[in-house]
Amino acid sequence: MSRTDRRRWKSARTVADLGDLMARWLEGEIASRPGYAARYGPDEETAHLVPTLAALCRAGYITTCSQPGLAGTGVDGLWWEQRAAVDGVVTDPELLHRLVVAATEAGMLVRTNDYRPGSADQEQPVIATTRDGEPTAAFGGRISRADMAIQWPGLDRGLYDQVAHGAYVSIVAPEYGPTGERLWVLLDQITGLRPAPDPEDDPWSAEPPWHTHGALEPEPGECTLCGAPIHHRGPYCTKACEEADADDTAVYN
C-alpha cells in the first residue's frame, strides 16, 4: 500500500469516515484497502455490484466480502454454483435492526456474529459456493481476534476498537445462481439507491397481490367485495359493490 493510502486509512476516525473510504476504494478512487492485496480493486465478477456495495458502506454497513449469484461451468470444467452473498460490519444498532429485519422478511439467510461487549450472539456460517456439489466457501463464520487484526490493519486505534466490537452481518440469498441476485435489489432499497416498491408490486412481499384481494375471506363486519367496514345489515357496504360482485359472478359462471 502506498504511503498516501496508508495515511488515508490511518486518518479515518469514525465509522462514517471508514465507510466513505471503502466506497471510494470500490469505485476505483483509492488503490488499496486494509486486509486486501495492495493495489488491487474489487474482483471482476463483482463489478456490477459496486454501486450497491458503495451505498451500503456509506450507509454504515461496511462490506468486507461479497459475491454475485452464479451457476455454470468453471475454468476447471466442473460445475460451480454461488449464492449471492455479502459480509460486513455494522456498529449502529438501528441500522443493524433494519438490515436483519428486511433481509429476514425477504427470505434471505442472515447470520450475525455480534462482538459488542456483553453479547453472546454468535452464529454458524452458510455454505455459499459449491463445486460439483461439494462446499467450497461459506459466509457468516465467526472471526477470530487474530483474523480481525489481519482484516483491519493500519486503522486508528479508536476506530479499530469500534469495528472490532461491532456486529458482523452476513446476508446470503437462499437460491444458488442468478435468481439470488434479488439480494442486491433488496439492499438498494434499504440504502435508498432504489425506491422500495409498493407491496402489491413486490414479488417477495407478504402482502397478497391486488388481483387476489377479492378472493380473500372477509372479516366479520367487512364488505364481501372490497373489505370496507359495513355499517348496516348485509354482505356489501354499498349497492355498487353488490352489483359489481354480481357482474363478476355472471362473467365467471
Side-chain angles (χ1 to χ4, degrees):
M1 188 184 293
S2 69
R3 280 181 290 183
T4 299
D5 283 350
R6 279 200 296 270
R7 284 196 295 269
R8 280 191 175 112
W9 295 100
K10 187 68 175 179
S11 68
R13 292 292 183 272
T14 67
V15 172
D17 293 340
L18 182 62
D20 184 60
L21 288 172
M22 287 291 281
R24 290 164 62 191
W25 171 79
L26 285 160
E27 294 164 343
E29 185 179 335
I30 298 174
S32 305
R33 75 160 172 91
Y36 202 77
R39 301 180 187 274
Y40 276 85
D43 194 83
E44 187 176 325
E45 74 171 9
T46 60
H48 68 289
L49 305 181
V50 165
T52 295
L53 299 174
L56 288 169
C57 287
R58 290 190 171 107
Y61 181 28
I62 315 300
T63 65
T64 54
C65 185
S66 61
Q67 67 178 33
L70 298 172
T73 304
V75 294
D76 57 4
L78 299 177
W79 185 256
W80 289 75
E81 290 187 319
Q82 287 185 179
R83 286 169 160 156
V86 62
D87 272 334
V89 59
V90 182
T91 60
D92 177 10
E94 193 275 334
L95 175 60
L96 174 62
H97 177 75
R98 282 200 295 125
L99 276 170
V100 171
V101 169
T104 301
E105 289 183 348
M108 300 296 166
L109 307 175
V110 181
R111 296 292 183 269
T112 303
N113 288 288
D114 199 340
Y115 294 83
R116 290 177 297 179
S119 175
D121 187 6
Q122 309 298 336
E123 298 183 337
Q124 295 302 306
V126 177
I127 300 300
T129 305
T130 62
R131 175 176 177 263
D132 264 12
E134 294 296 321
T136 63
F139 276 65
R142 195 177 194 283
I143 305 171
S144 69
R145 183 172 296 181
D147 288 337
M148 195 83 74
I150 292 171
Q151 188 175 84
W152 298 110
L155 293 188
D156 170 77
R157 184 181 296 273
L159 180 56
Y160 176 82
D161 187 63
Q162 291 182 63
V163 297
H165 293 89
Y168 279 73
V169 183
S170 302
I171 306 175
V172 184
E175 312 93 341
Y176 284 95
T179 304
E181 291 283 273
R182 66 187 180 95
L183 168 63
W184 314 115
V185 177
L186 170 69
L187 295 174
D188 285 348
Q189 291 167 0
I190 293 173
T191 61
L193 200 59
R194 305 189 206 199
D198 292 330
E200 62 268 24
D201 298 326
D202 183 356
W204 303 296
S205 172
E207 178 73 12
W210 67 268
H211 56 76
T212 67
H213 279 210
L216 297 179
E217 287 295 324
E219 296 291 330
E222 291 182 349
C223 177
T224 298
L225 182 68
C226 72
I230 297 174
H231 303 292
H232 54 264
R233 299 182 66 177
Y236 301 99
C237 61
T238 64
K239 188 68 174 176
C241 275
E242 182 176 1
E243 292 173 351
D245 202 22
D247 290 342
D248 284 346
T249 302
V251 169
Y252 291 108
N253 287 341

